[in-house]
Amino acid sequence: MKIDVLTLFPGMFAGPLDESIIKRARDAGLLELQLHQLRDWTHDRHKTVDDRPFGGGPGMLLKPEPIFEAVESLRREKTRVVLMSPSGRKFNQSIARELAQQEHLLLVTGHYEGFDERIREALADDELSIGDYVLTNGALPAMVVIDAVTRLLPGVLGDDTSSSEESFSAGGPGLEYPQYTRPAEFRGMKVPEVLVSGNHAEIAKWRAEQARLRTKEKRPDLV
Ligand SMILES: C[S@@+](CC[C@H](N)C(=O)[O-])C[C@H]1O[C@@H](n2cnc3c(N)ncnc32)[C@H](O)[C@@H]1O
């Protein structure tokens, strides 16, 4: 998969996307990630990307010209242009799965008070929010989307089943069951008997029940 990101802060992406699983996915060619500085599509001496909102009001808006030019030069036939914005649909695991099917994503990140509305109307195929709070710019939201999508790409996680057994995936939108590793007893806390029984049918039953109880207790909205 190819992901292009349009941003005013390419430096913010160094680190989170250069470590661990995402780094390995990039090194293996499973994810081709390219960061683009929005100011490269400006034509004035100050590389201006923002302007005051018509009608007044606080702050500055990203003006249309540089973003239109950038998207038009980066977009290909099968590109999904995704605007990062608190007004978008709320990002979740099922949207991550949907995006992981795409050939090419172009993530357009905002700053200041956000985008001139014509950018939203004419360029965006999708608009995503990572939650009901406001961040200073769209770099962190874009990184969240890139991380969640990349780990779903075939071959990225070592064990192909490991992303289908976890929260929001295993047969529904619920949470994952509790998990334990060695030692079987730690500071007086014992691993549930059934998990060391070797009875796989009983273990599966216990896990399904625990996942159901945990979801009901912690995230009743998902039940
Ligand atoms: C300060 S915010 C703009 C907020 C905008 N005035 C509003 O009320 O919706 C600047 C940029 O950060 C990004 N951003 C901030 N919070 C976000 C969120 N929860 N999800 C996705 N993007 C977000 C968007 O790209 C946005 O254009």
Side-chain angles (χ1 to χ4, degrees), residues 84-87 109-115 128-131 133-138 141:
M84 302 313 304
S85 151
S87 321
T109 66
H111 186 41
Y112 313 114
E113 286 306 312
F115 303 98
L128 293 179
S129 163
I130 61 159
Y133 41 81
V134 179
L135 299 165
T136 54
N137 71 79

Side-chain angles (χ1 to χ4, degrees), residues 146-221:
I146 293 167
D147 188 295
V149 169
T150 301
R151 66 192 293 286
L152 296 177
L153 299 176
V156 168
L157 296 183
D159 176 355
D160 269 345
T161 61
S162 48
S163 72
S164 60
E165 289 260 319
E166 60 197 359
S167 298
F168 316 115
S169 296
L175 301 180
E176 187 180 56
Y177 46 78
Q179 302 226 63
Y180 300 84
T181 184
R182 281 183 288 191
E185 184 172 345
F186 174 68
R187 297 191 178 175
M189 294 176 281
K190 287 187 180 156
V191 168
E193 202 65 43
V194 60
L195 294 180
V196 290
S197 69
N199 184 333
H200 294 294
E202 282 303 309
I203 292 172
K205 212 165 97 191
W206 181 88
R207 285 179 166 167
E209 177 62 3
Q210 291 296 314
R212 194 187 65 75
L213 290 173
R214 175 174 281 196
T215 307
K216 192 170 157 217
E217 185 197 328
K218 296 187 185 219
R219 291 292 305 275
D221 57 304

